[in-house]
């Protein structure tokens, strides 16, 4: 005797629905995106949303993870592929100018814009932790370049990392306010002028400060 199948088969494409939720949170932020907003853009009922994704906070957590692996992955790639902190952060800022103004999706960075006016402590804390982890990764990479001689010994790694994070976060907000790609690219180039220069290795960027066989710290998995 065959058992009766419980429930109804899922009638929507889960990855597509998740992408639609990502766009909603990215455009409007976490707090002002309601469950009814989500069900409308995802094209599913509230029971289907809860069954497939859990509550709003759980859905947002999945959105953030997927964003970090996709739209926000450019920062991690720059740190993994570039040999120095200067080249990695310079590439990250230049690519941010492109990503933050791409007309194919909402402007800026989801992890920055979604936190605006957020009054849910767990969500606010998670996004803050991710942003601070990126800055910590910047600082660790800068310190290693100081130790290797790629950057001057008196470089303030903490301040330079904070400065780089402030530029990245400011670029997101300026993109949201309407700044175009050329303006943000110019901002990125100007920001890189603040970096100290060493006389022997300036501009070479060909020697990995980590040495052969050592992977650089990256902000991978946290987004940019």
């Amino acid at each position: 005797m065959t058992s009766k199948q419980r429930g109804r088969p899922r009638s929507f494409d889960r990855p597509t629905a998740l992408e639609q939720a990502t766009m909603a949170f990215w455009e409007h932020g976490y707090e002002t995106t309601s469950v009814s907003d989500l069900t409308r853009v995802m094209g599913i009922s509230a029971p289907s949303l809860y069954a497939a994704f859990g509550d709003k906070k759980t859905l947002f957590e999945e959105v953030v993870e997927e964003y970090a692996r996709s739209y926000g992955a450019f920062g991690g790639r720059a740190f993994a592929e570039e040999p120095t902190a200067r080249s990695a952060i310079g590439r990250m800022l230049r690519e941010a100018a492109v990503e933050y103004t791409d007309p194919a999706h909402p402007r800026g960075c989801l992890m920055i814009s979604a936190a605006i006016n957020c009054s849910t402590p767990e969500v606010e804390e998670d996004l803050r932790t991710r942003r601070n982890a990126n800055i910590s990764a910047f600082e660790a990479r800068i310190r290693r370049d100081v130790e290797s001689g790629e950057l001057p010994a008196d470089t303030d790694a903490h301040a330079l990392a904070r400065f780089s994070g402030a530029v990245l976060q400011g670029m997101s907000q300026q993109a949201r306010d309407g700044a175009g790609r050329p303006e943000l690219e110019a901002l990125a180039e100007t920001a890189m002028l603040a970096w100290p220069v060493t006389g022997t290795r300036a501009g070479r960027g060909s020697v990995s400060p980590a040495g052969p066989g050592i992977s650089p710290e990256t902000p991978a998995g946290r987004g940019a």
Side-chain angles (χ1 to χ4, degrees):
M1 180 178 178
T2 59
S3 60
K4 182 182 292 185
Q5 182 178 3
R6 294 185 178 181
R8 298 175 60 184
R10 186 176 294 161
S11 59
F12 64 94
D13 181 70
R14 194 179 190 282
T16 299
L18 183 62
E19 175 74 2
Q20 292 163 333
T22 298
M23 295 299 112
F25 282 126
W26 196 346
E27 179 65 33
H28 303 293
Y30 176 80
E31 206 65 42
T32 58
T33 302
S34 66
V35 170
S36 60
D37 293 331
L38 292 167
T39 57
R40 185 179 65 256
V41 299
M42 297 166 77
I44 61 176
S45 66
S48 293
L49 186 152
Y50 293 128
F53 298 101
D55 60 13
K56 174 183 166 181
K57 186 168 74 72
T58 304
L59 169 59
F60 182 71
E61 290 169 356
E62 185 172 349
V63 161
V64 168
E65 291 294 337
E66 183 57 31
Y67 175 89
R69 289 191 293 266
S70 54
Y71 300 104
F74 63 91
R77 286 195 299 268
F79 271 72
E81 297 171 6
E82 295 297 325
T84 66
R86 182 197 304 273
S87 59
I89 291 179
R91 172 176 162 181
M92 178 188 68
L93 294 179
R94 295 179 190 104
E95 292 189 8
V98 177
E99 294 293 335
Y100 289 174
T101 58
D102 188 338
H105 54 65
R107 285 175 161 251
C109 171
L110 179 147
M111 294 190 194
I112 297 170
S113 61
I116 296 175
N117 297 324
C118 180
S119 60
T120 304
E122 300 89 346
V123 172
E124 185 180 25
E125 178 60 26
D126 178 64
L127 294 174
R128 182 188 302 113
T129 297
R130 287 172 178 272
R131 293 192 301 270
N132 286 336
N134 279 340
I135 294 174
S136 294
F138 299 167
E139 183 174 350
R141 187 67 175 272
I142 292 167
R143 288 190 185 282
R144 199 167 64 224
D145 280 11
V146 173
E147 292 169 1
S148 72
E150 187 69 43
L151 289 170
D154 61 352
T155 299
D156 188 335
H158 181 75
L160 190 55
R162 281 282 172 190
F163 169 76
S164 300
V167 172
L168 183 67
Q169 293 171 19
M171 288 174 69
S172 174
Q173 185 57 53
Q174 290 201 18
R176 301 277 293 186
D177 288 343
R181 173 178 170 178
E183 294 171 298
L184 295 188
E185 288 177 331
L187 193 159
E189 297 301 331
T190 301
M192 295 310 297
L193 296 177
W195 280 65
V197 177
T198 55
T200 57
R201 303 176 73 176
R204 286 167 59 184
S206 59
V207 179
S208 171
I214 301 178
S215 299
E217 291 101 340
T218 76
R222 293 185 291 272

